[in-house]
């Protein structure tokens, strides 16, 4: 398959003016784009832990595995406790003695050395042109060779970087790129992924061109009548000028400006946009700026940047406002892995995550604890999410033996500069974070480092503030660390919010990380009590949402602060989705290998907790969610509390038609304030029904849950039925087992098998069970709490796709999807 050549221009731009009309010798005119972006997607060869040096052009990689990039070499498993087994005390979790941690980094084989090789020719390149090789993330410590020569290297696996290969490319001939990546043991607190897990591309430009990552678009003044769009950029070339064209979301040209170069070939333009449409989570309106660079009158380069017009303010005692409206962050923290896809970035998977989060009513994301992908930011811009873009989990003091502290001195500035320059034009980003719970919260050097990093952010982007997620709150109140930050971010420590607000000068507090409640989808434990660090023999956590870690809390405690303290500017809940690694409270218990923190599980299926947040955050749609399930054979007559998460203040519960009384939300405890709870309900098989009342006591909604019979047939529900035939689009098909009457069987664990035919392939499956060692990419998996998700991937052919799911003794399920040419 050919490499994916895009000009990264909107189609309309391409048609209108991205071409330079060259006079061919035959007298005909031939359009040639002034810059090309070649995404190096297919045709890579990969090998792991080989003894040889594979950098040379002539190296024989014939036997290596053929892969496409983005690629995560470790996600294919197998799960094994021996990978990256760590004997450590997790100081951040309050541990004092070292013990064996088995699933801390996901129990997947990410440690070791991986080589990627690819041969390519660049017809677009000729001597004198510029060619830049761009990595959007390479896990980790990449060493890069072109035609046998080392051309560059980096360290941090999450960093953006580029290498100028203009002098090393052989024009018109095959070139060999080889990348060596090394992942050390003890280098992460979660699953980092492994390999070239984000895009690698080459940009070819003229010698006279816009300098890489220099364009910066801001909107310094906004009124209803007009907004000023400020564009700064820098270029190389003599006698150059810049023409900027601004297009609205429909592609209509709305403003143009021509400017000559200033000192050092820099440009600054202020362009008026009349009647601006403002960007916000509710109205994610995007404009496009096309910067055209001319040398004399010849078009030499063209760069397209999407941006939004929006105003952000953080003010003492008022908090955060977006476009003049006080807005609280209803945010989630997300690690970068995509469950069964591992760290390999995939836009369809990210879009599905954000679609689920939209339904939740979430308006913000924190990319904990590292640089977000471009794909995720593009989607956040388009779908309307504010973004807290983070950089590091460690500065100079270690959390893990081989963590970022090894690179801090040499790389911290470069990593921040690249992060900011690559991503600062995304309107979704409203805040930067220079660190998470860094041990440098202690000590005078820590303060110096906090200032050093914050100053770099300010220099590169004076428009957005900087936070640090702090867990050593008492310490940072005394040392001045918290006072120094633009935004004091508290991780947990609900009991210190009030003190921190008084101690810090900023006049507001951000819940940069909250809750860390643990639960397993569809698993309920009795008796129902609030507990910390609770463990069970099956290595699951109860979905009554009352269990947390020693340092963390249940959601309701955050809600109280969010609702009662106007100076709390919002929260970022740990986490939106479960992630690979960090299986607290079972860090020492095999086979736990992924987290229990998510509001949705690793497959993206919402847990009960999702609806608790939804009942507050989604102010448009009804939430009326009842738990637990009602299949408790053997618990007849026993106390089986029923909880309701709803955006109604009262409701009545009926068990098999008998009223269990009306519950009202009240202020007795945080739980009573936000949940409706029938603590004395007794189990009897049949139907439970909840009737919800409006403010006037009128019954306005109801929900029933029934005891299911034996598993009978499978129900397949895809998130999308039509895919793009591009070899990377995905449909996420939720598979549920139901009884003969169609009632979901909530405890079913049947072993299922999957077959995809037609113009698609089977990609992976995931059931959300944090203790499962079944490999995501095998075509069989057990249901967990009656459900799992199958990922079907398009090929580059259009046509019909069929997924068939079978299980012993079950009527099979099939679903038809289709792939359409782009
Ligand atoms: C926080 C930390 C996160 C995660 C979380 C689990 O302290 O910042 O990365 O470890 O705890 O509760």
């Amino acid at each position: 398959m050919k490499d994916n050549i895009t000009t990264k221009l909107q189609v309309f731009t391409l048609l209108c003016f991205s071409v330079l009309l060259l006079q061919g010798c035959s007298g005909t005119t031939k359009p040639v784009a002034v810059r090309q972006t070649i995404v190096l997607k297919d045709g890579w060869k990969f090998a792991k832990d080989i003894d040889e040096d594979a950098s040379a052009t002539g190296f024989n990689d014939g036997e290596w595995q053929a892969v496409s990039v983005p690629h995560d070499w470790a996600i294919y498993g197998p799960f094994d406790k021996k990978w990256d087994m760590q004997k450590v005390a997790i100081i951040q979790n309050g541990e004092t003695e070292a013990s064996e941690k088995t699933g801390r980094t996901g129990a997947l084989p990410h440690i070791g050395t991986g080589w990627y090789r690819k041969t390519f020719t660049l017809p677009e390149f000729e001597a004198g042109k510029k060619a830049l090789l761009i990595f959007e993330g390479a896990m980790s410590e990449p060493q890069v060779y072109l035609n046998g020569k080392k051309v560059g290297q980096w360290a941090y696996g999450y960093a953006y970087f580029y290498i100028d290969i203009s002098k090393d490319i052989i024009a018109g001939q095959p070139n060999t790129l080889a990348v060596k990546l090394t992942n050390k043991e003890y280098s992460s607190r979660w699953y980092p992924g492994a390999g070239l897990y984000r895009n690698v591309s080459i940009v070819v430009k003229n010698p006279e061109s816009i300098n890489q990552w220099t364009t910066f678009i801001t909107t310094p003044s906004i009124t209803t009548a007009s907004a000023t769009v400020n564009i700064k950029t820098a270029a190389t070339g003599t006698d150059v000028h810049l023409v900027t064209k601004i297009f609205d979301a429909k592609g209509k040209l709305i403003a143009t400006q021509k400017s000559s170069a200033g000192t050092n070939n820099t440009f600054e333009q202020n362009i008026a946009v009349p009647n601006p449409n403002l960007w916000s989570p509710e109205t994610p309106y995007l404009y496009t700026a096309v910067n055209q660079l001319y040398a004399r009158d010849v078009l030499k380069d063209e760069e397209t940047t999407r941006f939004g017009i929006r105003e952000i303010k953080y003010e003492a005692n008022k908090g955060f406002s977006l476009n003049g409206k006080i807005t609280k962050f209803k945010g989630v923290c997300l690690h970068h892995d995509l469950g069964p896809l591992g760290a390999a970035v995939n836009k369809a998977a990210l879009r599905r995550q954000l679609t689920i989060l939209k339904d939740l009513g979430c308006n913000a994301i924190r990319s904990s604890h590292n640089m977000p992908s471009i794909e995720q930011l593009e989607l956040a811009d388009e779908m309307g999410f504010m973004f807290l873009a983070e950089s590091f989990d460690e500065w100079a003091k270690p959390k893990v033996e081989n963590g970022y502290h090894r690179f801090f001195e040499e790389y911290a500035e470069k990593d921040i500069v690249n992060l900011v320059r690559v991503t600062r034009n995304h309107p979704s980003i409203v805040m930067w974070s220079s660190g998470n719970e860094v041990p440098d919260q202690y000590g005078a050097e820590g303060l110096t480092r906090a200032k050093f990093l914050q100053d770099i952010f300010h220099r590169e982007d004076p428009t957005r503030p900087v936070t640090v997620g702090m867990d050593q709150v008492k310490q940072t109140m005394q040392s001045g660390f918290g006072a120094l930050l633009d935004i004091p971010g508290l991780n947990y420590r609900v009991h210190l919010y009030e003190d921190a607000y008084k101690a810090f000068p900023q006049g507001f507090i951000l819940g940069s990380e909250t809750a860390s409640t643990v639960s397993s989808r569809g698993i309920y434990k009795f008796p129902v009590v609030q507990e910390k660090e609770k463990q069970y023999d099956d290595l699951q956590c109860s979905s009554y949402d009352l269990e947390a870690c020693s340092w963390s809390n249940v959601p309701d405690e955050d809600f109280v602060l969010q609702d009662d303290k106007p100076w709390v500017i919002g929260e970022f809940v740990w986490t939106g989705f479960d992630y690979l690694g960090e299986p607290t409270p079972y860090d020492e218990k095999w086979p736990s290998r992924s987290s229990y923190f998510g509001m949705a599980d690793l497959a993206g299926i919402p847990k009960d907790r999702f609806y608790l947040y939804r009942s507050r955050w989604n102010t448009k749609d009804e939430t009326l969610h009842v738990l637990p399930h009602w299949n408790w054979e053997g618990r007849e007559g026993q106390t089986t509390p029923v909880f309701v998460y709803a955006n109604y203040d009262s409701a009545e519960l009926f068990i098999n038609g008998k009223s269990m009384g009306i519950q009202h939300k009240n202020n007795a405890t945080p739980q009573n304030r936000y949940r409706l709870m029938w603590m004395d309900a007794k189990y009897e098989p049949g139907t439970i029904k909840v009737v919800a009342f409006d403010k006037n006591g009128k019954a306005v909604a109801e929900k029933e849950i029934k005891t299911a019979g034996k598993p009978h047939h499978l129900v397949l529900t895809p998130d999308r039925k039509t895919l793009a035939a591009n070899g990377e689009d995905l449909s996420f098909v939720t598979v549920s087992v139901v009884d003969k009457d169609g009632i979901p069987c909530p405890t079913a664990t049947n072993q299922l098998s999957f077959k995809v035919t037609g113009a698609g392939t089977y990609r992976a499956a995931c059931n959300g069970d944090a203790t499962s060692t079944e490999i995501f990419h095998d075509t069989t998996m057990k249901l967990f709490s009656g459900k799992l998700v199958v990922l079907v991937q398009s090929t580059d052919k259009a046509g019909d796709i069929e997924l068939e799911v079978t299980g012993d003794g079950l009527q099979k399920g099939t679903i038809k999807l289709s792939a359409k040419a782009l």
Side-chain angles (χ1 to χ4, degrees):
M1 211 182 345
K2 278 202 358 251
D3 288 323
N4 181 9
I5 301 185
T6 67
T7 56
K8 282 216 172 161
L9 299 175
Q10 307 283 344
V11 173
F12 68 84
T13 332
L14 186 68
L15 295 176
C16 297
F17 42 68
S18 114
V19 292
L20 177 63
L21 295 178
L22 286 187
Q23 195 73 30
C25 43
S26 63
T28 55
T29 53
K30 176 165 100 169
V32 174
V34 287
R35 76 153 69 180
Q36 294 88 16
T37 300
I38 299 102
V39 182
L40 302 180
K41 187 178 165 223
D42 296 307
W44 288 87
K45 288 300 200 85
F46 168 74
K48 192 172 170 240
D49 294 330
I50 55 163
D51 291 332
E52 302 120 295
D53 176 350
S55 62
T57 303
F59 183 88
N60 181 5
D61 58 19
E63 301 291 301
W64 287 17
Q65 190 191 345
V67 298
S68 58
V69 167
H71 176 247
D72 178 346
W73 84 57
I75 194 62
Y76 303 95
F79 288 105
D80 198 315
K81 67 192 269 190
K82 73 177 186 223
W83 310 126
D84 202 24
M85 185 169 344
Q86 307 193 359
K87 185 144 194 239
V88 289
I90 305 179
I91 312 283
Q92 295 75 43
N93 295 2
E95 295 178 5
T96 48
E97 275 174 37
S99 61
E100 210 161 81
K101 308 289 184 309
T102 46
R104 195 179 188 199
T105 55
L108 287 164
H110 73 278
I111 307 295
T113 303
W115 278 94
Y116 289 82
R117 287 173 52 87
K118 175 168 171 64
T119 304
F120 61 91
T121 42
L122 274 188
E124 304 79 9
F125 185 80
E126 58 196 50
K129 282 200 172 191
K130 273 188 201 164
L132 306 179
L133 176 61
I134 301 171
F135 291 85
E136 295 173 15
M139 192 63 71
S140 61
E141 302 188 50
Q143 308 277 318
V144 184
Y145 303 85
L146 189 63
N147 302 323
K149 177 185 157 196
K150 184 157 171 195
V151 290
Q153 62 177 21
W154 211 262
Y156 194 30
Y158 297 101
Y160 290 91
F161 67 98
Y162 74 86
I163 302 167
D164 189 337
I165 52 170
S166 317
K167 299 239 156 53
D168 304 296
I169 283 275
I170 310 169
Q173 300 288 319
N175 290 268
T176 304
L177 177 63
V179 184
K180 182 184 181 189
L181 297 155
T182 307
N183 291 328
K184 284 192 188 291
E185 63 289 333
Y186 287 43
S187 64
S188 184
R189 298 192 301 112
W190 57 85
Y191 175 68
L196 295 177
Y197 70 106
R198 287 185 182 167
N199 277 334
V200 180
S201 56
I202 298 178
V203 173
V204 176
K205 336 189 226 193
N206 287 314
E208 306 89 350
S209 47
I210 296 168
N211 297 346
Q212 192 67 9
W213 299 341
T214 52
T215 303
F216 188 19
I217 304 183
T218 57
T219 52
S221 91
I222 303 169
T223 65
T224 325
S226 175
T228 305
V229 177
N230 178 276
I231 302 188
K232 294 192 182 77
T233 195
T236 304
T238 44
D239 208 359
V240 288
H241 69 264
L242 187 74
V243 175
T244 295
K245 297 181 175 174
I246 293 184
F247 297 86
D248 69 11
K250 293 203 178 106
K252 185 168 159 242
L253 180 66
I254 51 169
T256 306
Q257 196 169 106
K258 179 176 171 182
S259 314
S260 44
T263 335
N264 298 329
N265 264 0
T266 56
F267 295 91
E268 177 159 7
Q269 300 178 318
N270 284 296
I271 306 176
V273 168
N275 309 314
N277 287 296
L278 304 191
W279 184 94
S280 73
E282 298 76 33
T283 58
Y285 194 96
L286 296 171
Y287 291 88
T288 303
V290 177
N291 294 124
Q292 298 177 303
L293 186 82
Y294 287 83
R296 283 164 294 278
D297 287 328
V298 183
L299 179 65
K300 290 291 183 182
D301 193 14
E302 184 165 277
E303 192 184 64
T304 300
T305 310
R306 246 179 14 173
F307 67 98
I309 298 178
R310 51 113 183 100
E311 181 192 64
I312 54 170
K313 273 194 191 152
Y314 296 82
E315 294 168 289
N317 305 318
K318 279 197 187 156
F320 170 68
S321 59
L322 178 69
N323 302 326
K325 196 172 128 211
I326 299 290
T327 303
K328 285 214 185 200
F329 295 109
K330 303 188 274 189
V332 294
C333 300
L334 294 182
H335 267 313
H336 69 313
D337 81 61
L338 293 167
L341 300 175
V345 71
N346 179 287
K347 211 157 181 178
L350 287 165
R351 187 180 290 111
R352 171 178 178 252
Q353 281 199 335
L354 297 195
T355 305
I356 294 168
L357 293 177
K358 261 289 163 195
D359 174 58
L360 174 67
C362 165
N363 68 8
I365 291 164
R366 171 184 182 222
S367 61
S368 42
H369 303 295
N370 36 258
M371 290 72 179
S373 66
I374 290 177
E375 289 83 351
Q376 195 182 27
L377 291 172
E378 283 175 351
L379 289 167
D381 290 347
E382 287 164 22
M383 296 172 72
F385 288 89
M386 296 180 283
F387 222 97
L388 195 182
E390 197 151 77
S391 43
F392 308 123
D393 192 50
E394 259 182 36
W395 295 347
K397 289 189 183 172
K399 273 184 186 170
V400 285
E401 194 178 310
N402 288 317
Y404 188 74
H405 64 274
R406 292 186 294 141
F407 313 126
F408 182 83
E409 286 305 327
E410 188 184 345
Y411 278 95
E413 177 162 7
K414 293 194 268 193
D415 283 338
I416 292 179
V417 167
N418 286 2
L419 164 66
V420 177
R421 291 192 186 169
V422 173
T423 63
R424 64 189 168 184
N425 295 320
H426 290 275
S428 50
I429 299 181
V430 294
M431 195 190 304
W432 304 108
S433 163
S434 66
N436 173 63
E437 299 188 353
V438 289
D440 302 68
Q441 286 165 100
Y442 286 98
E445 321 87 352
L447 224 67
T448 312
R449 286 181 197 124
K451 169 108 177 42
F452 164 69
L453 299 174
Q454 185 164 281
D455 286 349
I456 300 168
F457 277 106
H458 288 170
R459 184 189 74 209
E460 298 298 320
D461 174 12
T463 72
R464 295 176 178 97
V466 181
T467 191
V468 170
M470 299 182 289
D471 61 334
Q472 302 305 317
V473 179
K474 282 200 172 136
Q475 162 67 17
T476 58
M477 283 197 271
Q478 285 156 13
S479 68
F481 187 103
L484 164 101
L485 305 173
D486 297 330
I487 299 195
L490 263 58
N491 285 9
Y492 314 100
R493 313 303 185 278
V494 282
H495 58 289
L496 291 175
Y497 270 50
E498 198 84 46
D499 291 350
Y501 170 61
K502 288 190 192 124
F504 294 145
Q506 294 88 343
F508 50 79
I509 296 287
L510 170 69
S512 41
E513 200 173 304
T514 61
S516 267
T517 302
V518 286
S519 61
S520 305
R521 177 179 54 79
I523 304 289
Y524 306 89
K525 303 290 186 183
F526 304 96
V528 175
V529 277
Q530 197 168 327
E531 298 212 46
K532 297 257 164 127
E533 303 288 337
K534 181 72 187 163
Q535 298 198 2
Y536 303 93
D537 290 346
D538 62 357
L539 309 188
Q540 303 294 351
C541 301
S542 178
S543 198
Y544 276 102
D545 300 324
L546 291 170
E547 294 171 7
C549 312
S550 60
W551 60 92
S552 68
N553 54 271
V554 294
D556 324 66
E557 290 174 44
D558 295 311
F559 297 164
V560 171
L561 289 166
Q562 298 294 323
D563 287 347
D564 295 352
K565 310 290 175 195
W567 40 265
V568 177
I569 64 172
E571 65 170 320
F572 287 87
V573 179
W574 193 266
T575 50
F577 294 89
D578 278 339
Y579 51 94
L580 289 161
E582 208 179 29
T584 314
Y586 300 110
D587 297 302
E588 297 156 12
K589 299 278 167 71
W590 181 249
S592 290
R593 48 66 171 164
S594 55
S595 87
Y596 299 80
F597 293 117
M599 296 184 199
D601 69 17
L602 197 70
I605 307 175
K607 302 178 189 173
D608 293 300
R609 199 150 27 98
F610 180 92
Y611 297 96
L612 182 56
Y613 286 93
R614 189 182 191 273
S615 69
R616 294 167 49 74
W617 286 359
N618 184 335
T619 49
K620 281 203 230 100
D621 304 306
E622 174 184 284
T623 299
L624 182 56
H625 179 78
V626 184
L627 63 137
H629 63 69
W630 212 240
N631 264 64
W632 294 109
E633 207 182 330
R635 287 192 62 77
E636 288 79 4
Q638 292 184 47
T639 303
T640 306
V642 173
F643 285 12
V644 167
Y645 300 157
N647 49 7
Y648 298 103
D649 289 340
S650 60
E652 185 168 8
L653 170 69
F654 297 88
I655 299 182
N656 290 331
K658 278 189 302 282
S659 173
M660 298 291 121
I662 297 177
Q663 289 291 336
H664 297 264
K665 289 183 184 166
N666 62 72
N667 286 337
T669 66
Q671 280 71 44
N672 287 97
R673 190 166 161 187
Y674 297 104
R675 315 179 189 200
L676 296 167
M677 301 180 291
W678 288 262
M679 295 306 290
D680 300 327
K682 303 261 181 318
Y683 176 66
E684 57 182 64
T687 303
I688 53 174
K689 182 164 97 174
V690 167
V691 177
F693 304 107
D694 69 9
K695 300 261 179 247
N696 304 317
K698 191 172 146 217
V700 283
E702 61 177 61
K703 187 80 179 263
E704 277 186 355
I705 299 190
K706 289 180 194 290
T707 305
K710 286 202 174 54
H712 178 263
H713 61 278
L714 294 162
V715 176
L716 275 50
T717 317
D719 72 328
R720 287 164 61 233
K721 283 189 128 174
T722 309
L723 301 182
N726 60 4
E728 58 190 41
D729 204 1
L730 294 169
S731 178
F732 288 77
V733 183
T734 303
V735 180
S736 320
V737 66
V738 297
D739 71 5
K740 63 179 182 5
D741 300 320
I743 299 168
C745 302
T747 57
T749 55
N750 307 56
Q751 188 78 41
L752 304 184
S753 299
F754 322 112
K755 197 165 111 198
V756 176
T757 48
T761 55
Y762 170 77
R763 175 68 196 258
C766 183
N767 62 12
D769 177 359
T771 69
S772 167
T773 52
E774 288 183 291
I775 293 171
F776 299 126
H777 300 81
D778 281 352
T779 52
T780 177
M781 187 170 278
K782 270 198 172 91
L783 290 165
F784 178 61
S785 297
K787 287 189 196 313
L788 56 73
V789 173
V790 176
L791 285 64
V792 177
Q793 185 161 315
S794 65
T795 62
D796 48 12
K797 289 199 191 63
D800 291 338
I801 307 172
E802 188 173 281
L803 166 66
E804 182 185 279
V805 184
T806 49
D808 276 354
L810 297 173
Q811 235 174 59
K812 73 175 180 194
T814 55
I815 184 101
K816 285 205 180 342
L817 310 169
S818 69
K820 293 242 151 66
L822 290 173

